[in-house]
Amino acid sequence: MIKRGTIAGAYLALLALSLPIPLLHRSYTDGVIATMRPMLKLDDGRWVPTLMPVHVLLLRSLGQLSWFVPWVILAILVLSFRKESLSRWTTVSVVTIGQCSFTTFYAFYSTWLLGSQWMEWVKHAG
């Protein structure tokens, strides 16, 4: 029989590991996304903001979606004290795999977006 404290500790560790992505997204990435809005120069010389590209909006949506991960883990932690099925190592493993998959996708996507924007800047600068 697995002790509930061990399962609760695992969920608390997952909760602590799920917080950096939303906090970093809010602190740094949202500001960068706001500055990435393309501008269009009109005939009279005024600059007008245009629509954001879809790949940038997807990064913003992923950042907003990342705020749900800690809440889901917290809900599973609370419910694990009442439901035996949520206090099994298989459930902890499934939650861990889901969280790692989301975090890895977010990291790869933001790295790809940063790299492609950087390469575009290097191409235009040179």
Side-chain angles (χ1 to χ4, degrees):
M1 180 76 182
I2 300 172
K3 293 184 180 179
R4 291 213 186 263
T6 307
I7 296 295
Y11 281 128
L12 286 174
L14 286 175
L15 183 63
L17 290 172
S18 69
L19 290 174
I21 293 291
L23 293 175
L24 288 172
H25 183 85
R26 182 180 175 122
S27 299
Y28 297 106
T29 311
D30 271 345
V32 172
I33 288 173
T35 63
M36 292 176 72
R37 182 174 296 278
M39 303 291 276
L40 180 65
K41 187 173 184 179
L42 298 178
D43 292 336
D44 61 359
R46 289 183 299 140
W47 290 90
V48 180
T50 61
L51 296 175
M52 296 283 282
V54 173
H55 57 278
V56 175
L57 290 176
L58 179 60
L59 182 63
R60 179 183 277 178
S61 298
L62 284 174
Q64 292 170 349
L65 185 64
S66 69
W67 281 103
F68 288 108
V69 175
W71 290 106
V72 168
I73 293 173
L74 185 63
I76 293 173
L77 169 65
V78 170
L79 290 174
S80 71
F81 290 106
R82 295 201 177 235
K83 298 191 87 167
E84 184 69 30
S85 63
L86 295 176
S87 62
R88 296 185 186 140
W89 281 111
T90 54
T91 308
V92 174
S93 299
V94 167
V95 171
T96 303
I97 290 170
Q99 178 181 345
C100 288
S101 299
F102 178 78
T103 303
T104 303
F105 179 72
Y106 179 87
F108 278 134
Y109 189 76
S110 60
T111 303
W112 171 79
L113 188 61
L114 176 68
S116 65
Q117 292 296 321
W118 181 71
M119 290 303 292
E120 197 67 30
W121 178 74
V122 167
K123 187 170 55 172
H124 289 312

